[in-house]
Amino acid sequence: MDVLQLFRGLAALMVVLHHSVGSLKYYHKIDFPFLNYLAYIGKFGVDFFFVLSGFIITYSTFYKDEAPNSLCNYIKNRLIRIYVPYLPIGVFMLLLYLLLPGFSNSDRAISVLTSLTLIPDGNPALSVAWTLSFELCFYLLFGLSFFSKKGWNWFVLGWLVAIIVFNYSLFSSLVFLKKPFFSILFSTYNIEFILGYLLAQLIVRKIQLNRILLILLFFLSLISFFYCTFNPLKGFLFEVNLLFAFVVFLGIYITISTVNFKINNLPLLMMVGNATYSIYLIHNPLQMILIRLFPKITSAATSIIVLVVVLILSSIVGYGYYLLFEKKAIYIIKSKLIK
């Protein structure tokens, strides 16, 4: 499904934009409402990623759970996929902040354990790596589906109920929910992985939904999302994120079921899509250094030019990291560890 590469690339660039505007505000003291709004929209790239992750892992493993060593190979694949590209950058950022504490533009405490293992214990040195702890949690839980798909479906239902209860009821004040592991396990972000899982079920089981109704629902949800970004609803901590996740859910289903085209003739888009993970990992330290080194920026026009430059350079450097390290290292390690 080549079209998913477009979505992955778009999600990564949204996150790059979000962090780059934040660096402009911090280092150059700019404050333009239009750019602030772009940064706010950009942060939903993470929600985009989570829905895509739930979909891709479910879809790609749907017919593999009965193969020899399927669970073992699945776990090895996921761990290699997450850790091999991450560790060089994560360790570099950890050493950088340990040696030069003033290099960071925030005063957050950094956890060595989380930085090295992604086990939830505090803040990782590479700030975007907090999302990888969520990815790791979902991937490991998804391993239950290799024992029983029916049992996994019931687990997902119970998990969803628990997430809702522990976030939107009197039980949300329970002390154990503040523990790092449980704060991830019962986070509302997991609803987005579950949406991706449900989306994959619709696709692999060829469940047809009314296309016109879906398109109307998509535009209604999209309009509601933009309305909520200007007028946040009170009383719900996560309503805009979930609304955007639902927009993504509908958008992916409509796109795959109608225009599942090849993008081989658009190599630039394919390159960005293939290198999405590397771009995601490398962009934050890169954009922080680039924007810090820029001469003083005061105008909106100059800020936009800088953002375009950062987006392009993040894509180029990220693709270089993907081509020279991520792709080769993963291939070598998989060839030795996975049958």
Side-chain angles (χ1 to χ4, degrees), residues 20-82:
S20 299
V21 174
S23 292
L24 280 172
K25 293 179 69 175
Y26 182 83
Y27 292 114
H28 298 273
K29 311 305 178 186
I30 67 162
D31 189 20
F32 299 110
F34 173 69
L35 291 182
N36 293 341
Y37 184 72
L38 283 182
Y40 178 59
I41 296 298
K43 77 169 188 172
F44 294 103
V46 168
D47 305 273
F48 207 149
F49 270 127
F50 286 169
V51 177
L52 279 170
S53 294
F55 172 81
I56 291 172
I57 199 62
T58 305
Y59 185 87
S60 63
T61 60
F62 191 78
Y63 297 108
K64 296 180 180 179
D65 56 353
E66 296 180 0
N69 301 313
S70 58
L71 176 59
C72 183
N73 287 338
Y74 163 77
I75 292 175
K76 289 179 182 178
N77 262 309
R78 291 301 92 204
L79 295 180
I80 291 170
R81 185 73 183 89
I82 289 178

Side-chain angles (χ1 to χ4, degrees), residues 93-94 97-98 104 107-113 115 122-126:
M93 293 303 296
L94 176 62
Y97 288 147
L98 290 177
S104 175
D107 57 356
R108 63 194 177 96
I110 293 175
S111 166
V112 174
L113 176 63
S115 298
N123 298 309
L126 181 64

Side-chain angles (χ1 to χ4, degrees), residues 17 23 49 70 101 155 171 183 232 273 308 332-333:
L17 183 64
S23 292
F49 270 127
S70 58
F155 175 84
F171 294 102
S183 67
V308 171
I332 292 171
I333 294 174

Side-chain angles (χ1 to χ4, degrees), residues 175-232:
V175 176
F176 81 92
L177 294 174
K178 305 300 181 183
K179 301 292 184 180
F181 173 77
F182 292 108
S183 67
I184 286 183
L185 181 63
F186 297 114
S187 169
T188 42
Y189 275 116
N190 292 304
I191 298 176
E192 298 170 350
F193 288 103
I194 293 172
L195 276 175
Y197 164 72
L198 295 175
L199 175 62
Q201 293 293 319
L202 292 177
I203 299 299
V204 295
R205 298 182 187 279
K206 296 181 171 57
I207 298 174
Q208 297 295 321
L209 303 177
N210 187 294
R211 193 167 299 169
I212 295 177
L213 180 61
L214 285 179
I215 292 173
L216 290 174
L217 189 57
F218 171 79
F219 282 107
L220 177 62
S221 301
L222 188 62
I223 293 170
S224 300
F225 165 73
F226 282 113
Y227 175 81
C228 288
T229 59
F230 286 103
N231 303 279

Side-chain angles (χ1 to χ4, degrees), residues 86-219:
Y86 163 73
L87 280 175
I89 301 174
V91 171
F92 170 78
M93 293 303 296
L94 176 62
L95 293 175
L96 179 65
Y97 288 147
L98 290 177
L99 296 173
L100 300 171
F103 189 80
S104 175
N105 59 10
S106 71
D107 57 356
R108 63 194 177 96
I110 293 175
S111 166
V112 174
L113 176 63
T114 303
S115 298
L116 295 177
T117 66
L118 299 177
I119 294 173
D121 181 59
N123 298 309
L126 181 64
S127 59
V128 298
W130 68 269
T131 63
L132 303 184
S133 296
F134 282 90
E135 297 271 358
L136 192 61
C137 176
F138 179 76
Y139 290 157
L140 293 177
L141 288 175
F142 187 82
L144 296 173
S145 67
F146 285 77
F147 295 101
S148 169
K149 286 184 177 180
K150 185 176 180 180
W152 167 247
N153 290 336
W154 280 108
F155 175 84
V156 169
L157 180 60
W159 188 23
L160 179 60
V161 170
I163 291 171
I164 294 172
V165 169
F166 288 143
N167 285 276
Y168 298 106
S169 73
L170 296 176
F171 294 102
S172 62
S173 60
L174 292 174
V175 176
F176 81 92
L177 294 174
K178 305 300 181 183
K179 301 292 184 180
F181 173 77
F182 292 108
S183 67
I184 286 183
L185 181 63
F186 297 114
S187 169
T188 42
Y189 275 116
N190 292 304
I191 298 176
E192 298 170 350
F193 288 103
I194 293 172
L195 276 175
Y197 164 72
L198 295 175
L199 175 62
Q201 293 293 319
L202 292 177
I203 299 299
V204 295
R205 298 182 187 279
K206 296 181 171 57
I207 298 174
Q208 297 295 321
L209 303 177
N210 187 294
R211 193 167 299 169
I212 295 177
L213 180 61
L214 285 179
I215 292 173
L216 290 174
L217 189 57
F218 171 79
F219 282 107

